[in-house]
Amino acid sequence: DMQQRTMKAALALFLALACTASASVPVSTRTPSRQAQARIVPLASASPTLRLKGGSAAPKKVAILTAGGLAPCLSSAIGYLVEQYTLMDPSIEIVAYVDGYKGLLQGRSVKFTPEVRKAAGVLTTHGGSCIGNSRVKLTNIPDCVKRGLVKEGQDPQKVAADQLVRDGVSVLHTIGGDDTNTAAAELAKYLKNNNYDLTVVGLPKTIDNDVYPIRLSLGANTAAEQGAIFFRNVVNEATSNPRMLIIHEVMGRHCGWLTAATARKYKDGLAATVCMPGIGFDSKKLDVHAVYVPELAINIEQEANRLKKIMDETGNVNIFISEGAGVEDIIKEMEAAGKEVPRDAFGHPKLDAVNPGKWFAEQFSAKVGAEKTMVQKSGYFARSSAPNGEDLALIKQCAIKAVECACNGVGGVVGHDENTEHLELRACEFERIAGGKPFDVQEAWFKAMLKEIGQPFSAVVPVAH
């Protein structure tokens, strides 16, 4: 009857699909070895805790802190770390120190509850740091006293160490740049000298991508992409006034990688954009006309002559500069004029006060015949973003390796080690971690971009950190 025919047809369809699936997915008919059988974890376990990776080496209590400036990786790194520890053993306690080292000194922490841990993946969709950041240098005692973080006569390192001991923390994950991670290494060394075993595993956060020996720091790729998106809108301001000079200032105190990568991503996007030169939307007007990074000398007069020709031809000029380009010269000018250069807790000049974009605008405006000059900074826009797909993959890789290292008692900063033959993902020893890694201006893609722009490849200059 009709019902039987329908059932037979459904069964035939099911068998056909099953055969197709079995043909496309290789199935082993071999019996697993005893060693392999020992690794199989049953889906139903008598134990209330399903330990997929954990064991006796798993830490009892883990702490996380983020410090320094923002980058598109902080919340995501926290989310992936929490996911990995929960997967390993949900009984591992996880806390976070609020506002970085400031919270550690003040004993302010939050616990990741079971509810939060279940939803930790949500953090990977957010920018910023869900636990807050601060710029605190534990070895800068006067600054810590001045800010009320410690009392007169107290050693911030000891205060922080005592807090970690009181909290029973055995693993500390620091997500930050070279200052953040080397401070954590000093803290671990201090505790070890005082018979307390703390494993510190850092993750390299900096959009500048300037940490030795890390190939690519977390969030840098996204920051370059977001800087390109930012300028895609800003460049349209060139149509608001004749002979417009637009200076796009990109973050990068000592390293020009972010500026170069932002320009490259912007140009790639422009190449895929449909323009209408017959009615004024010419790609030449929208293009990048100069890229200035700290690692290359800048001949102002020579560049001004080149850019004036572009201004005369297209009616506008677009310049990408690193915030660290020309800073030494600007500081010398400020100090010669009797102006004080404000510095942060780490002794770095506060670049908002130095204002390199404004300085370059003053150098070029009259020389290129600009009627109007605009300086736009993409830094905060770019660094506050949630990570893109490429960064998420890198962040997850590093988080998994960080948890593995922590459980094996291996400290360091996790990243692809440039000093290994195949860029091995590993915990790089703290004594090898340093900031100030310059951008390699000999990179083929960068030299090719300068050639596209028509900008001469100038002398390479050493960059002080």
Side-chain angles (χ1 to χ4, degrees):
D1 60 5
M2 179 63 71
Q3 188 176 5
Q4 285 180 324
R5 286 199 299 272
T6 303
M7 288 180 66
K8 285 180 181 179
L11 180 59
L13 179 60
F14 172 80
L15 290 172
L17 290 172
C19 290
T20 303
S22 64
S24 61
V25 181
V27 178
S28 174
T29 57
R30 294 164 56 190
T31 303
S33 65
R34 288 184 180 180
Q35 187 178 5
Q37 287 176 349
R39 290 199 298 267
I40 295 174
V41 180
L43 291 177
S45 172
S47 169
T49 299
L50 179 63
R51 290 178 172 83
L52 297 182
K53 297 179 184 176
S56 58
K60 291 183 179 180
K61 189 170 184 177
V62 172
I64 302 171
L65 67 78
T66 60
L70 294 184
C73 66
L74 297 172
S75 292
S76 299
I78 295 166
Y80 282 132
L81 286 171
V82 172
E83 277 190 346
Q84 287 304 307
Y85 278 114
T86 303
L87 180 66
M88 172 178 285
D89 186 344
S91 71
I92 297 171
E93 188 178 351
I94 307 173
V95 299
Y97 289 107
V98 180
D99 297 333
Y101 285 115
K102 180 178 181 180
L104 176 56
L105 289 173
Q106 297 175 332
R108 293 186 296 118
S109 63
V110 292
K111 182 178 178 179
F112 286 86
T113 63
E115 292 73 27
V116 171
R117 290 168 76 141
K118 285 178 185 176
V122 173
L123 294 176
T124 66
T125 66
H126 287 273
S129 171
C130 59
I131 58 177
N133 277 24
S134 64
R135 289 188 182 275
V136 175
K137 188 172 185 178
L138 297 178
T139 54
N140 189 341
I141 299 175
D143 181 66
C144 288
V145 172
K146 180 182 177 182
R147 294 164 68 177
L149 301 178
V150 297
K151 297 176 182 177
E152 193 75 47
Q154 283 186 316
D155 179 355
Q157 271 199 327
K158 186 176 186 308
V159 173
D162 289 345
Q163 188 63 51
L164 288 166
V165 173
R166 274 195 300 274
D167 291 342
V169 173
S170 54
V171 170
L172 175 64
H173 286 292
T174 51
I175 310 168
D178 61 297
D179 289 328
T180 298
N181 287 308
T182 50
E186 290 168 1
L187 194 55
K189 186 177 179 181
Y190 178 90
L191 283 163
K192 191 170 185 178
N193 292 339
N194 287 275
N195 301 314
Y196 186 85
D197 194 20
L198 174 74
T199 300
V200 179
V201 184
L203 291 173
K205 172 267 339 165
T206 167
I207 62 174
D208 295 358
N209 194 32
D210 66 343
V211 178
Y212 288 107
I214 307 296
R215 175 63 175 172
L216 183 64
S217 55
L218 309 184
N221 185 296
T222 302
E225 180 179 271
Q226 289 295 317
I229 291 170
F230 175 90
F231 193 71
R232 199 176 299 160
N233 285 352
V234 168
V235 72
N236 293 316
E237 284 292 330
T239 64
S240 70
N241 203 88
R243 300 187 71 85
M244 173 78 87
L245 171 62
I246 301 179
I247 293 180
H248 178 197
E249 184 180 313
V250 182
M251 283 188 170
R253 183 184 296 275
H254 302 289
C255 178
W257 181 89
L258 182 60
T259 301
T262 301
R264 181 69 272 168
K265 284 182 180 288
Y266 173 77
K267 284 179 67 63
D268 288 345
L270 180 61
T273 301
V274 178
C275 295
M276 293 187 68
I279 196 64
F281 274 111
D282 192 327
S283 61
K284 291 180 182 178
K285 290 178 68 70
L286 305 175
D287 211 343
V288 179
H289 302 125
V291 178
Y292 300 136
V293 296
E295 295 84 356
L296 290 179
I298 305 168
N299 185 321
I300 298 292
E301 293 302 323
Q302 181 180 313
E303 279 297 281
N305 290 333
R306 181 179 73 85
L307 294 174
K308 187 175 186 303
K309 291 176 184 176
I310 294 172
M311 179 70 85
D312 293 341
E313 180 186 348
T314 66
N316 68 294
V317 167
N318 306 316
I319 300 175
F320 279 43
I321 68 160
S322 295
E323 62 179 358
V327 163
E328 296 303 318
D329 291 333
I330 302 170
I331 289 175
K332 286 177 185 176
E333 281 188 17
M334 291 176 70
E335 291 177 339
K339 296 179 181 177
E340 184 181 351
V341 180
R343 296 178 184 270
D344 64 19
F346 293 90
H348 303 144
K350 291 187 176 180
L351 294 177
D352 282 347
V354 176
N355 208 344
K358 181 173 179 288
W359 186 83
F360 273 95
E362 291 169 352
Q363 302 302 309
F364 281 117
S365 186
K367 289 181 173 68
V368 301
E371 287 188 16
K372 185 176 180 181
T373 301
M374 174 182 288
V375 179
Q376 292 291 300
K377 304 180 182 184
S378 62
Y380 295 117
F381 175 89
R383 76 179 197 173
S384 302
S385 170
N388 63 16
E390 291 176 60
D391 255 321
L392 276 175
L394 177 62
I395 295 164
K396 187 171 185 177
Q397 274 186 336
C398 290
I400 292 171
K401 177 60 72 172
V403 172
E404 176 191 312
C405 291
C407 291
N408 290 323
V410 178
V413 179
V414 173
H416 290 95
D417 189 340
E418 289 188 312
N419 295 336
T420 58
E421 186 178 357
H422 301 294
L423 295 174
E424 180 187 352
L425 181 63
R426 60 187 299 274
C428 301
E429 296 77 8
F430 281 114
E431 56 268 24
R432 295 172 57 219
I433 298 298
K437 181 180 76 172
F439 168 51
D440 183 3
V441 292
Q442 300 295 343
E443 290 269 10
W445 64 267
F446 178 65
K447 296 182 85 169
M449 181 171 67
L450 291 188
K451 190 174 181 180
E452 287 173 26
I453 291 171
Q455 178 179 334
F457 186 84
S458 53
V460 178
V461 295
V463 181
H465 176 56

